[in-house]
Amino acid sequence: MQHLVETLGAIGEQPGGGIVRPVYSPAWVTAREQLATWMREAGLVVRGDAVGNLFGRISGETERTVLTGSHFDTVKLGGRYDGALGVLAALAALRALLKEGFRPRKSLEMVALCEEEGSRFHSNFWGTRGILGLIGPPELDDLRGDDGVSIREAMRSVGLAPDEFQQAVRDDLDAFVELHIEQGRILYDEGLPLGVVRTITGLYRFLATVEGRTDHAGTTPMDLRRDAFQAAAEMAVEMTRIVSAVGRPAVVTTGYWDVQPGAWNIVPGLVRFGVDLRHPDEAVKQRLGSEIRAAGEAVAARRGVTVQYEMVGDVPPNDMHPEIRSAITGAAEALGVRFIDMVSGAGHDSQVMASRVPTGMLFVPSVDGRSHSAAEFTSPEDAARGATVLAATLRRLAE
Ligand SMILES: [Zn+2]
């Protein structure tokens, strides 16, 4: 599998390192052709759908289908493993099952999903949403990249018929299994080869707008200021303290800041900052959300500024399906592969798939926890072991 990782990873790779392979780009087209070639060579029946997903199928006795795969687009300057490893592990698993002469009762299919990352359009999960019928017609024109090109135009440029996007919808799926790199460092630190995802974490995201007063930086005494930045910074520290006190796996990040007017010699009068809170328990997530909002309001009142919140995302956690989880854990146990139950702190195709199809997910270690960077790496041994567990899982689900 390692040479496939390297060959695919070279498509869209930049001279300084890192892959740029957004949906419907020339590199994306090349990668898709390469994958189709490998899938045909493995003996799969290959076809594409209306949004650009690529499928390789082993027909069983019934049309009901067990699907496995991940996405093959990348973030800007992404690594070789995010998404790609799930596609290549699916290919390796199906190839191995064919070689063993396995005759599935249910049909077995792999998918290279066209888009997950939202790195060109804000189209996150476009491939999975296409399969599930969750794309809204206005999106074809509303979704535009930084270059102004709409997703409709981009689809047409690679030979797809955008108006036929509804033909991508599937109603024959009985299961979806996704292998993915962990993108964190829990497995790596514990020295474990496999994680079985229990839940994909919930997201609570809001924009805080703090308003104080702009004043002269030289003439306004400290005790008379209503510095919006100082207040916002204290809010961020206070919110972080509250969430840290809860312990793992609660996380909060305040990574987006807009400070106005943004000058050396003016006391900031207006600050917007983004709060991204995640927890796999919906009740805890909502409680923490309320607590950190209240903490921000308390800081505002004490410092004589105002704060307003605008919700930008409130996504509940998505539990993986118990039957798919037990197929994965059963396969791992039978193979003697050690594993732990995990929460995924990152979003994945599986969380969307889980809304309609029984879904399960397995993680392999990311060396040093690195991801969304050229430094992404999973050892060939861990990748191969993950693909073996995936194959055994598919066998259980399809026989
Ligand atoms: Zn991914």
Side-chain angles (χ1 to χ4, degrees):
M1 201 156 51
Q2 187 58 21
H3 79 278
L4 301 193
V5 169
E6 284 168 22
T7 305
L8 184 61
I11 303 172
E13 193 170 46
Q14 304 299 298
I19 305 166
V20 178
R21 199 166 65 220
V23 68
Y24 310 140
S25 65
W28 177 93
V29 171
T30 307
R32 193 169 181 273
E33 283 165 0
Q34 177 63 78
L35 287 167
T37 302
W38 286 334
M39 286 155 72
R40 263 184 228 106
E41 284 170 1
L44 305 177
V45 178
V46 178
R47 70 171 188 92
D49 73 7
V51 297
N53 295 318
L54 186 69
F55 298 91
R57 187 172 175 92
I58 305 171
S59 285
E61 295 162 26
T62 89
E63 290 298 305
R64 303 303 303 174
T65 301
V66 173
L67 185 68
T68 180
S70 192
H71 60 98
F72 71 101
D73 67 325
T74 68
V75 294
K76 195 173 174 191
L77 299 179
R80 295 179 164 189
Y81 294 83
D82 179 0
L85 191 65
V87 177
L88 297 174
L91 174 62
L94 264 57
R95 190 203 285 122
L97 289 171
L98 273 179
K99 255 193 191 147
E100 289 166 19
F102 175 61
R103 301 285 300 272
R105 191 175 64 78
K106 290 183 179 175
S107 295
L108 249 182
E109 204 167 313
M110 68 164 286
V111 60
L113 293 160
C114 65
E115 199 273 349
E116 188 265 352
E117 299 283 9
S119 52
R120 180 172 178 190
F121 308 96
H122 293 292
S123 53
N124 299 64
F125 312 115
W126 189 248
T128 298
R129 292 200 292 125
I131 290 171
L132 299 182
L134 299 175
I135 290 176
E139 291 186 76
L140 290 175
D141 298 300
D142 291 351
L143 292 174
R144 284 178 190 273
D146 290 340
D147 54 4
V149 173
S150 70
I151 200 162
R152 173 195 297 280
E153 290 159 345
M155 288 172 84
R156 223 176 252 142
S157 77
V158 298
L160 296 168
D163 289 317
E164 288 167 16
F165 74 94
Q166 269 146 346
Q167 290 179 12
V169 177
R170 300 277 298 258
D171 60 5
D172 60 331
L173 301 180
D174 274 0
F176 179 67
V177 189
E178 181 178 17
L179 180 147
H180 203 282
I181 56 168
E182 185 200 332
Q183 301 183 282
R185 55 177 311 133
I186 291 172
L187 292 174
Y188 178 72
D189 284 350
E190 306 267 327
L192 283 164
L194 189 72
V196 180
V197 176
R198 179 166 35 89
T199 300
I200 297 180
T201 202
L203 173 77
Y204 186 98
R205 196 178 264 183
F206 62 91
L207 184 70
T209 302
V210 182
E211 206 170 344
R213 202 177 79 174
T214 52
D215 276 303
H216 195 290
T219 62
T220 315
M222 297 307 282
D223 57 299
L224 296 181
R225 295 182 181 201
R226 287 165 53 210
D227 185 324
F229 175 75
Q230 287 297 317
E234 188 182 340
M235 288 174 198
V237 169
E238 188 58 16
M239 290 175 183
T240 304
R241 192 193 56 74
I242 290 168
V243 175
S244 302
V246 173
R248 294 184 184 186
V251 286
V252 68
T253 306
T254 51
Y256 167 78
W257 288 83
D258 175 26
V259 181
Q260 297 295 336
W264 287 56
N265 56 1
I266 305 174
V267 176
L270 183 75
V271 172
R272 290 187 191 88
F273 69 102
V275 182
D276 175 307
L277 168 72
R278 304 188 194 204
H279 200 283
D281 182 315
E282 180 65 11
V284 177
K285 189 193 85 177
Q286 294 296 340
R287 178 175 61 76
L288 281 174
S290 303
E291 274 182 40
I292 61 177
R293 288 165 76 112
E297 281 156 4
V299 170
R302 194 168 67 245
R303 283 182 169 266
V305 301
T306 63
V307 63
Q308 286 185 329
Y309 302 123
E310 181 195 333
M311 281 307 287
V312 253
D314 190 357
V315 183
N318 274 284
D319 289 342
M320 297 292 99
H321 197 281
E323 278 172 32
I324 313 293
R325 272 173 58 203
S326 72
I328 300 170
T329 55
E333 278 161 6
L335 289 162
V337 176
R338 291 182 309 142
F339 62 89
I340 46 167
D341 260 22
M342 292 191 73
V343 166
S344 173
H348 295 291
D349 286 296
S350 285
Q351 79 191 56
V352 182
M353 206 63 96
S355 68
R356 302 286 163 89
V357 179
T359 294
M361 217 182 165
L362 46 160
F363 280 164
V364 292
S366 293
V367 170
D368 219 16
R370 300 294 297 274
S371 186
H372 282 187
S373 110
E376 237 170 44
F377 185 68
T378 294
S379 77
E381 296 73 30
D382 282 339
R385 200 182 286 112
T388 304
V389 175
L390 177 63
T393 303
L394 297 172
R395 179 187 269 279
R396 282 165 185 252
L397 293 171
E399 77 190 354

